[in-house]
Amino acid sequence: MTGLIDQFGRTATDLRMSLIDKCNLRCRYCMPAEGLDWLKKNDMLTADEVIRLADIAIARLGIEGIRFTGGEPMVRADLVDIIASVHNAHPQVELAMTTNGINLEKKIDDLVAAGLSRINVSLDTVCPDTFAKITRRDRLTKVLEGLHSAKAAGLDPIKINAVLLRDINDDQAAELLTWTIKHGYQLRFIEQMPLDADHNWTRDNMVTAAEIREQISQVYTLTPHKSPRGSAPAELFDVISQESGEVLGTVGIIASVTEPFCADCTRTRITADAKVRSCLFSHTETDLMGLLRDGSSDDAIADAWREAMWHKPKAHGQTKTGLGMPGFVQPERTMSAIGG
């Protein structure tokens, strides 16, 4: 049986599976202050359906790792059961999660015991006022408590995902990097992408990878990391003290807009309502929910998934790279509705 191969020769081995579109934050680059029209419960994947799709992905389609996303995956009460079931069936597969960290302190021990092996925590600043401005919630303390609990539980590495926004936290790159190095976390800066619900994103107003590198270089020396990048979204740099010359850690920059890496993409996505999105910026989706609920076989679902991925766009949901360039149309779904 073949895996998830597309017409440009790429093979998807990394599954991002959204469990829910709801979130308990309202980040400016993701959703409006009032939230969105959430999916109804019956329209979302059940725990058994998530587990079945994970099994099909691993056993039939060659998926090597799964990251559970949202919205905020910890909003789901059955998250631990989902992870435990997938892990018990496929203990060789790495199970990760992207989270805002707010409820991590309460759930981390159960999640690790269930088989969670890695987390990415979204954190754009360690300044309380800036955090509240970006997320529209005063919850920074809970996020930090969750991070420290994850470290105490033995998760490693713990990655921090950060987005810099113009005139809000665009001067805090070095400060956040210093904090993550101090606490033993791995920082990844992500260029803001046109996936916001308000559709206010513009290419001219985003903070670019070049700007991020320049800002960090005022405090640290950056040199390319020696390990091969492979299909990883982040380009890694060693962070070197300008005083001692000591390598203090690494920092990654995911330059989806200005330095795209579409040719090496190995990701496939399933939304919380069971749609295959072959590309983050796709304008088409393939529905698997009907097949899950009409008695179709696992082989039929796998075939539909393969067909969806065969038609994966070359880049950025179109025939060429160019987020925000002439001809680009932002997808209707927002990041919270797609899953990161």
Side-chain angles (χ1 to χ4, degrees):
M1 292 185 289
T2 60
L4 296 173
I5 302 168
D6 69 40
Q7 58 190 314
F8 301 102
R10 298 168 295 192
T11 300
T13 56
D14 176 10
L15 170 59
R16 308 289 175 90
M17 183 175 284
S18 176
L19 299 180
I20 194 167
D21 58 337
K22 290 181 181 178
C23 185
N24 41 19
L25 295 180
R26 297 290 183 270
C27 297
R28 292 176 179 274
Y29 51 79
C30 189
M31 65 175 68
E34 65 275 12
L36 297 166
D37 292 329
W38 310 122
L39 290 169
K40 296 178 181 179
K41 186 175 181 179
N42 290 341
D43 293 332
M44 285 196 307
L45 287 162
T46 66
D48 287 344
E49 289 165 345
V50 171
I51 294 162
R52 184 183 179 193
L53 283 177
D55 183 72
I56 292 169
I58 296 166
R60 287 172 166 76
L61 298 173
I63 289 298
E64 299 172 358
I66 299 176
R67 188 192 300 182
F68 296 107
T69 70
E72 172 48 53
M74 285 194 293
V75 171
R76 280 193 67 142
D78 53 8
L79 174 63
V80 171
D81 294 335
I82 289 171
I83 291 174
S85 294
V86 177
H87 175 70
N88 290 338
H90 304 282
Q92 79 284 4
V93 173
E94 180 184 77
L95 302 180
M97 178 177 70
T98 297
T99 174
N100 61 33
I102 287 177
N103 292 315
L104 203 52
E105 183 182 21
K106 297 178 181 178
K107 299 184 178 182
I108 189 61
D109 291 335
D110 289 340
L111 289 167
V112 172
L116 185 71
S117 55
R118 190 168 61 78
I119 59 169
N120 288 47
V121 177
S122 300
L123 179 64
D124 307 308
T125 178
V126 288
C127 171
D129 290 342
T130 306
F131 182 91
K133 187 172 184 179
I134 292 173
T135 67
R136 303 183 177 102
R137 298 290 188 273
D138 185 15
R139 307 299 297 279
L140 177 60
T141 298
K142 296 300 297 180
V143 178
L144 300 185
E145 289 172 351
L147 274 167
H148 299 328
S149 297
K151 188 174 183 180
L155 286 186
D156 184 61
I158 296 172
K159 295 182 180 180
I160 304 292
N161 295 340
V163 176
L164 297 183
L165 302 178
R166 186 73 66 193
D167 299 325
I168 297 179
N169 66 333
D170 58 344
D171 60 345
Q172 297 180 24
E175 177 187 7
L176 184 57
L177 177 56
T178 299
W179 184 87
T180 56
I181 290 173
K182 176 182 177 182
H183 292 281
Y185 306 132
Q186 294 187 7
L187 179 59
R188 302 288 184 268
F189 287 105
I190 304 174
E191 286 185 335
Q192 184 190 4
M193 294 177 281
L195 293 168
D196 58 310
D198 294 324
H199 287 209
N200 289 328
W201 181 93
T202 64
R203 188 179 178 111
D204 291 340
N205 200 44
M206 56 163 287
V207 182
T208 67
E211 290 179 81
I212 296 169
R213 289 191 294 264
E214 180 180 0
Q215 186 182 148
I216 293 173
S217 295
Q218 295 175 12
V219 180
Y220 300 103
T221 297
L222 295 181
T223 61
H225 192 60
K226 294 181 180 180
S227 297
R229 180 176 178 178
S231 62
E235 181 179 6
L236 288 184
F237 298 87
D238 289 328
V239 181
I240 302 171
S241 168
Q242 294 182 350
E243 297 178 357
S244 66
E246 175 188 3
V247 177
L248 303 174
T250 62
V251 64
I253 299 178
I254 301 175
S256 302
V257 180
T258 63
E259 299 165 16
F261 41 86
C262 302
D264 298 314
C265 181
T266 59
R267 281 161 292 288
T268 183
R269 288 177 167 82
I270 297 288
T271 64
D273 55 347
K275 303 294 193 299
V276 178
R277 288 186 67 88
S278 60
C279 171
L280 191 57
F281 298 95
S282 288
H283 293 281
T284 60
E285 301 176 332
T286 298
D287 178 49
L288 298 185
M289 191 70 85
L291 296 175
L292 285 167
R293 296 181 178 179
D294 70 2
S296 295
S297 67
D298 288 357
D299 284 339
I301 294 171
D303 286 343
W305 202 334
R306 287 191 190 95
E307 179 69 13
M309 291 304 296
W310 175 255
H311 296 287
K312 180 174 183 170
K314 186 174 184 179
H316 291 163
Q318 52 192 9
T319 58
K320 60 181 180 180
T321 58
L323 294 179
M325 301 298 284
F328 173 77
V329 178
Q330 179 172 336
E332 290 185 11
R333 285 211 197 226
T334 66
M335 179 62 86
S336 65
I338 295 171

